[in-house]
Amino acid sequence: MKQGKGLLEVKGLRVAVAGNEILKGVDLTIRDGEVHAIMGPNGSGKSTLAQVLAGHPAYTVLAGTAKYEGKDLLDMKPEERARAGVFLAFQYPVEIRGITNSYFLRSALNALRRERGEAELDPIDFLQFLEQKLRAIGWDDSMMNRPVNEGFSGGEKKRNEILQLAVLEPRLAILDETDSGLDIDALKTVAETVNKLRAPNRSFLIVTHYQRLLNYITPDVVHVLADGRIVKSGGPELAHELEAKGYDWLRDAAMVS
Amino acid sequence: MVAVERLVGAYNTWATNGASEVPEWLKDMRSGAIARFESLGFPNMKQEAWRFTSVAPIAEGSFEQAKPPARIPTLEEIRPFLLLEAGYRLVFVDGFFQRALSTPFFDDVQSLAHVVTHRQDLVRQHLGKYAATEDRPFSALNTAFVNDGAFVHVPAKATIAEPIQLLFLASGKPAVTHPRNLVVLDREARASIVETYASLSHGAYWTNSVTEIVVGEAARVDYHRVQRESPGAYHVAATQTHQGRDSTVNLHMVAFGAALARHDIGAVLAGPGGRLILNGLYLLASQQHADHHTTIDHAADHCESHEYFNGVLDDKSRGVFTGRIIVRPGAQKTDSKQTNNNLLLSTDAHADSQPQLEIYADDVKCTHGSTVGPLDPRALFYLRSRGIGEHEAQQLLTYGFAAEILGRMEVAPLRAQLDGIVRGRLAEQ
């Protein structure tokens, strides 16, 4: 692992939802340009970690800190986190009636540009910008004039999340089970796009239940989350070990500790 | 009762005076209708169709029969209410046709009062044949006072390229008007029409309109209705379509105005292969009350109907939606879909939504669904997680409710105009 200050530094994070403690003390440091994977069995708290970092209001932070670029991330509203460069690709993207994808993306991009003191893009400039982005990732504009996620297939919804990632250019991209529900072709498409978006000033936190996504996106670090704690961290080879051995041996380890 | 007697008295005076220069059949229609109104009286909330809407403010109000306006507005004054620049238009003030402000087209886009004598056979063939009056006191009252309104006729295979505008303006005086409109499209004809109700000044007046739309075989009409009455106004209306085989009717109903509004919308799919879109939006605030009562009658096989109504309700407003769908015996292969979504922006706002399906055929596809609730917190978080501030996210989601309906309108400049009105309304909230 590289040395230096982390882009994201999580220490002793304990989080509850509806009175149940889900995260029981998570420590995690992600540096610029790194790709981290969080794996773990269902119910281990993976999605909770992803959502709490994005600021979902349903979660209560009981203890611990999360610093992003040295600032207190947990004190920021969801929109402030997004404007500072945090992006969450949702496990279950939400349908927005009546708002086209293109209108939604422009509203989001302009919110970010205002924060950076840049001029807002009008519809025509935005379309040009969008075409560049679509070309760069090799996608067409067929989803742009449809209402956000409405009537999208599971694969289209996940692709749409990655498209937003490409347009909003975050510094920290959190992918919450982006691979679940995708067939192998869709999975490859999503993985290839994520690989194109890897950059020295962009870090990824990839939450996944399965190892197969990591066949296409090679992480720098793999963490195993079990029962609300990170019980093991290692290199990409750890993902293969988990695929072969399952999670049970780690869950038992977590229980003992 | 007093109100009924007063209206009958006003009818008797009117029928023996200025309204006597019409054909006998029309006089008979009027006298039959006033008798019907007199026996029905005003509806009350014990009646199923009026469970959620009290018309007491109308029955207890003292609305005189409207007189010709003392002053005719200028074109500049009415321009804000014209949603489109081009195309034919018929303008009425307090129910009276304003030739100087209108651009009629021979006897095909004309005032009804004119064509009652000039195209008597066509008018007689259709007028009053579609809008029910037996159990509809307001339509009966309108028929009793039938005098003027818009008449549109599109001959077979003709297309009128630009939308035709029918503009009904109120001066704001506390009077009642009974606009009566008749639209006839012969076979394979095509037109788009915009019927607008608005007011030149604030006032507590009463509009009681009826519109009948007859669509021949393989004809198509895109019909838009924009209700932007004064905030103190009472608006009661019936729109009835009757469509022949393989025809297409796209109805777009937008209601922003009036203190109390009741709109009965009926559609009869009378020939096989007909296609209907009934697309509606009500945007209410303060103490506005709007009641939409829709009846789609699948009287023939292989027809489809798609009904979408969205309501956005703020403050102490109330929205009522009743969606009745009838599939007659033999109307096989009917494909009917109905949705009504209500967004409550305030805890004091209220919506009632009732689907009523009556299906008498066995090989049909009918679905319906309705929702009533506040903004979806998941959607709010989704937008905020993309950098959109909380207030802007709320506005965007609210706008989406309206935009979903406006998005189905195919006349782009009209859609853009209505989009602007919706944005203006939502910005006030």
Side-chain angles (χ1 to χ4, degrees), chain A:
Chain A
M1 255 183 271
K2 286 172 264 179
Q3 295 302 308
K5 227 170 150 42
L7 173 68
L8 177 72
E9 294 184 334
V10 177
K11 287 200 178 117
L13 186 63
R14 291 174 49 214
V15 172
V17 61
N20 291 326
E21 190 169 344
I22 308 288
L23 297 182
K24 299 172 178 172
V26 170
D27 297 302
L28 175 68
T29 298
I30 301 177
R31 293 176 182 80
D32 272 332
E34 288 181 345
V35 175
H36 287 232
I38 299 235
M39 301 184 69
N42 286 328
S44 60
K46 302 187 303 284
S47 280
T48 298
L49 179 62
Q51 301 218 50
V52 85
L53 291 175
H56 195 293
Y59 298 92
T60 312
V61 176
L62 303 171
T65 57
K67 297 249 188 251
Y68 171 79
E69 295 178 323
K71 286 175 293 198
D72 182 0
L73 184 70
L74 301 176
D75 194 38
M76 296 159 76
K77 293 177 182 171
E79 57 268 37
E80 291 168 345
R81 299 180 199 204
R83 291 171 196 166
V86 178
F87 178 90
L88 171 66
F90 280 51
Q91 183 181 1
Y92 303 110
V94 183
E95 300 180 3
I96 310 286
R97 74 169 71 245
I99 303 296
T100 62
N101 234 350
S102 141
Y103 190 92
F104 166 58
L105 270 176
R106 186 164 67 88
S107 302
L109 181 65
N110 280 336
L112 268 48
R113 290 177 69 94
R114 276 200 298 274
E115 176 75 13
R116 299 196 292 251
E118 296 167 7
E120 295 186 26
L121 296 182
D122 65 25
I124 292 164
D125 291 340
F126 174 72
L127 220 60
Q128 279 183 349
F129 171 86
L130 186 66
E131 272 167 20
Q132 281 174 14
K133 289 289 169 192
L134 287 167
R135 246 199 316 276
I137 58 176
W139 291 0
D140 65 22
D141 61 359
S142 57
M143 293 194 296
M144 298 319 298
N145 286 319
R146 291 163 60 187
V148 181
N149 294 325
E150 216 176 63
F152 284 29
S153 69
E156 284 176 326
K157 283 184 181 172
K158 297 299 176 80
R159 267 183 49 171
N160 201 26
E161 295 295 292
I162 301 304
L163 173 65
Q164 292 171 38
L165 199 168
V167 168
L168 300 178
E169 303 177 305
R171 279 200 75 191
L172 174 63
I174 304 165
L175 275 54
D176 186 5
E177 302 211 15
T178 298
D179 52 335
S180 63
L182 292 187
D183 64 35
I184 194 68
D185 290 336
L187 182 83
K188 276 188 197 168
T189 309
V190 163
E192 277 166 20
T193 311
V194 169
N195 284 329
K196 284 182 194 162
L197 294 169
R198 285 178 80 157
N201 62 348
R202 179 169 302 135
S203 309
F204 286 85
L205 178 61
I206 297 174
V207 172
T208 179
H209 183 69
Y210 305 102
Q211 179 265 340
R212 57 175 198 162
L213 178 66
L214 306 180
N215 287 337
Y216 304 99
I217 303 171
T218 309
D220 297 303
V221 187
V222 175
H223 308 277
V224 181
L225 192 68
D227 194 32
R229 289 184 187 85
I230 289 177
V231 294
K232 197 169 175 60
S233 300
E237 70 288 346
L238 179 56
H240 296 283
E241 199 180 334
L242 288 167
E243 183 74 358
K245 291 163 72 178
Y247 288 112
D248 287 348
W249 61 286
L250 288 164
R251 199 183 339 232
D252 297 342
M255 291 301 191
V256 173
S257 68

Side-chain angles (χ1 to χ4, degrees), chain B residues 367-388:
Chain B
T367 61
H368 67 92
S370 75
T371 60
V372 177
L375 287 171
D376 177 4
R378 295 176 317 128
L380 264 179
F381 176 60
Y382 190 61
L383 296 191
R384 293 178 72 191
S385 80
R386 298 298 181 253
I388 300 169

